[in-house]
Amino acid sequence: MAQVLEFKLPDLGEGLTEAEIVRWLVEVGDVVAIDQPVVEVETAKAMVEVPCPYGGVVTARFGEEGTELPVGAPLITVAVGERPASGEADAAGAEGSGNVLVGYGTSEAPARRRRVRREQPVSGASAAGSRAVTGQGAAPAAVNGQAGAPETEDGPVPVISPLVRRLARQNGLDLRELTGSGPDGLILRADVEYALRAAARAGAAAQTAQPHAPVPQPHAAVPQATSTATAPQPTAPQPTGTAAHGEIRTPLKGIRGAVADKLGRSRREIPDATCWVDADATELMRARTAMNAAGGPKISLLALLARICTAALARFPELNSTVDAEAREVVRFDHVHLGFAAQTDRGLVVPVVRDAHARDAESLTAEFARLTEAGRTGTLTPAELTGGTFTLNNYGVFGVDGSTPIINHPEAAMLGVGRIVPKPWVHEGELAVRQVVQLSLTFDHRVCDGGTAGGFLRYVADCVEQPAVLLRTL
């Protein structure tokens, strides 16, 4: 007798909580092998083929192409082999492959949930908003089969990610009063945000309904309208694509949503500062031309700038670091995983060149080309988009001279490079037309002061102006 096993959307790493089904690679009735890719999904980071850890016959698929599923939602079910007479499941299927895909395993025993503290209850309007989500006046969810029984302090609250739990805590929202819309009542970020919006509307409605009522005293409940016929009720959020006249609304999801979240977090958490300098890049351009004229693989300008960056970070390692805010420590790295900004049809991505400090210009050129092409085709893996320690942003390709880069959280700095254009420049005491570039460095002021940042930028500029400076440090 076959055993039917359920395979759920795994944790794809880096805090990703959902993925969109792009293409199914199997049909119901197909026979799949252990670790065979069964579906292609798109996360906020990349396109990923998800392998199934079980071998057998596909009996069901969950979600149509284009559907967005949260982590932990069922993907497929697989009928695995024949069950031995002893009643133990077939080892190859029931136990799974044991392989790991960016942070998920296939072992049978789930990890124990850690204890969670009971959130502070919502007062006033917030409480009203919470009730609006669970149903006005509805009793708390059943616990141990007893309707209306409150959950114990040690009871688990199914929340899709720690970020959602923190969002609720920061706004004084009691998660135990919400009914999650995810699988098995899983509380999603959208549930918390809807509850907060409903709470705000309920508070505004109460004030509108009783404009002459006295101002509530501290800790007093917000007055509620007595007539259910006239009392404004919280309305459901507008569906995607619905907009008022003259508005076009685009959901912040996928890569665009990930970029928005990351840049917003960078601005909130990192006290950044920017310094910049103009540099004469004439000699650097001549050096590149000479290198490419000598035969062999062509060397890209980005690769030369990357070599300069890694040499500068060796001299100023404070900028190749991150801040552990909880431990109040600066974590300095002994390797350079160099991120570089790449614009694609799907949006801005930042692939990472691993161990850039150990690569020569030829190797860097090849790796930049490979990752850029993967970004354009949407085949970058989460591992190729994470783990950077410093980012190089060549926004000169857009025809602009300067910018103030936003640090790629949780890194400590980013070097921006503008376009290289002919400009009047004083060279060897005379006015001449030279190839000039503006360099800008945005840095986390917690890891260093202006002297270190200025020294780094000045060294980069010196290498651009006189590439022989770089040769002396190699």
Side-chain angles (χ1 to χ4, degrees), residues 340 351-354 359 361-373 384:
F340 67 99
V352 177
V353 176
R354 290 293 193 277
R359 296 175 180 264
E362 183 178 324
S363 173
L364 286 168
T365 297
E367 188 67 356
F368 282 135
R370 184 188 73 82
L371 292 172
T372 298
E373 180 60 25
E384 292 170 330

Side-chain angles (χ1 to χ4, degrees), residues 290-371:
M291 293 169 70
N292 289 337
K298 300 298 183 182
I299 303 300
S300 70
L301 177 61
L302 189 61
L304 295 180
L305 292 170
R307 291 292 291 117
I308 293 172
C309 275
T310 57
L313 289 172
R315 288 193 162 216
F316 301 92
E318 298 90 339
L319 294 168
N320 190 49
S321 63
T322 188
V323 173
D324 186 336
E326 292 186 3
R328 293 185 63 81
E329 295 174 342
V330 175
V331 182
R332 188 181 300 178
F333 304 107
D334 61 359
H335 56 269
V336 179
H337 293 338
L338 186 68
F340 67 99
Q343 192 69 38
T344 71
D345 292 339
R346 298 174 62 240
L348 179 69
V349 294
V350 184
V352 177
V353 176
R354 290 293 193 277
D355 297 317
H357 63 289
R359 296 175 180 264
D360 58 17
E362 183 178 324
S363 173
L364 286 168
T365 297
E367 188 67 356
F368 282 135
R370 184 188 73 82
L371 292 172

Side-chain angles (χ1 to χ4, degrees), residues 229-272:
T230 59
Q233 297 295 323
T235 57
Q238 290 183 325
T240 301
T242 301
H245 179 68
E247 293 180 351
I248 298 177
R249 296 190 174 223
T250 303
L252 278 175
K253 56 185 289 189
I255 282 189
R256 187 71 258 163
V259 169
D261 292 341
K262 198 158 195 177
L263 297 184
R265 183 177 183 184
S266 179
R267 279 295 195 217
R268 288 192 305 271
E269 297 183 7
I270 298 178
D272 59 349

Side-chain angles (χ1 to χ4, degrees), residues 120-469:
Q120 293 299 319
V122 181
S123 61
S126 298
S130 301
R131 288 192 297 271
V133 177
T134 58
Q136 194 72 13
V143 179
N144 298 329
Q146 299 178 7
E151 289 192 53
T152 65
E153 185 168 315
D154 290 334
V157 178
V159 180
I160 195 168
S161 79
L163 294 178
V164 174
R165 192 181 301 280
R166 185 176 68 176
L167 178 64
R169 181 172 63 250
Q170 289 174 342
N171 290 276
L173 184 63
D174 189 353
L175 291 171
R176 299 175 189 279
E177 295 191 15
L178 303 187
T179 298
S181 60
D184 300 323
L186 189 68
I187 297 176
L188 310 180
R189 185 186 184 101
D191 299 325
V192 173
E193 291 175 340
Y194 178 47
L196 295 176
R197 288 195 299 269
R201 285 195 296 267
Q207 293 179 2
T208 303
Q210 297 186 8
H212 302 295
V215 177
Q217 296 300 315
H219 309 297
V222 176
Q224 302 292 320
T226 56
S227 172
T228 56
T230 59
Q233 297 295 323
T235 57
Q238 290 183 325
T240 301
T242 301
H245 179 68
E247 293 180 351
I248 298 177
R249 296 190 174 223
T250 303
L252 278 175
K253 56 185 289 189
I255 282 189
R256 187 71 258 163
V259 169
D261 292 341
K262 198 158 195 177
L263 297 184
R265 183 177 183 184
S266 179
R267 279 295 195 217
R268 288 192 305 271
E269 297 183 7
I270 298 178
D272 59 349
T274 302
C275 52
W276 57 90
V277 65
D278 289 341
D280 180 359
T282 305
E283 296 304 323
L284 180 67
M285 300 301 288
R286 285 176 179 171
R288 176 174 175 253
T289 300
M291 293 169 70
N292 289 337
K298 300 298 183 182
I299 303 300
S300 70
L301 177 61
L302 189 61
L304 295 180
L305 292 170
R307 291 292 291 117
I308 293 172
C309 275
T310 57
L313 289 172
R315 288 193 162 216
F316 301 92
E318 298 90 339
L319 294 168
N320 190 49
S321 63
T322 188
V323 173
D324 186 336
E326 292 186 3
R328 293 185 63 81
E329 295 174 342
V330 175
V331 182
R332 188 181 300 178
F333 304 107
D334 61 359
H335 56 269
V336 179
H337 293 338
L338 186 68
F340 67 99
Q343 192 69 38
T344 71
D345 292 339
R346 298 174 62 240
L348 179 69
V349 294
V350 184
V352 177
V353 176
R354 290 293 193 277
D355 297 317
H357 63 289
R359 296 175 180 264
D360 58 17
E362 183 178 324
S363 173
L364 286 168
T365 297
E367 188 67 356
F368 282 135
R370 184 188 73 82
L371 292 172
T372 298
E373 180 60 25
R376 288 173 180 157
T377 58
T379 57
L380 286 168
T381 66
E384 292 170 330
L385 287 163
T386 57
T389 63
F390 185 92
T391 296
L392 175 61
N393 186 357
N394 180 20
Y395 44 73
V397 297
F398 302 120
V400 298
D401 295 330
S403 176
T404 54
I406 298 178
I407 295 173
N408 186 25
H409 186 281
E411 297 169 15
M414 178 186 290
L415 178 70
V417 182
R419 62 177 181 161
I420 301 176
V421 292
K423 287 186 179 181
W425 191 267
V426 176
H427 176 65
E428 297 180 349
E430 296 184 356
L431 187 64
V433 176
R434 305 286 286 182
Q435 299 292 320
V436 179
V437 62
Q438 184 179 98
L439 307 169
S440 56
L441 176 72
T442 297
F443 64 99
D444 186 338
H445 224 314
R446 295 173 297 180
V447 305
C448 68
D449 295 323
T452 300
F456 173 93
L457 189 58
R458 186 63 258 171
Y459 178 80
V460 170
D462 289 345
C463 290
V464 168
E465 293 184 341
Q466 302 177 39
V469 172

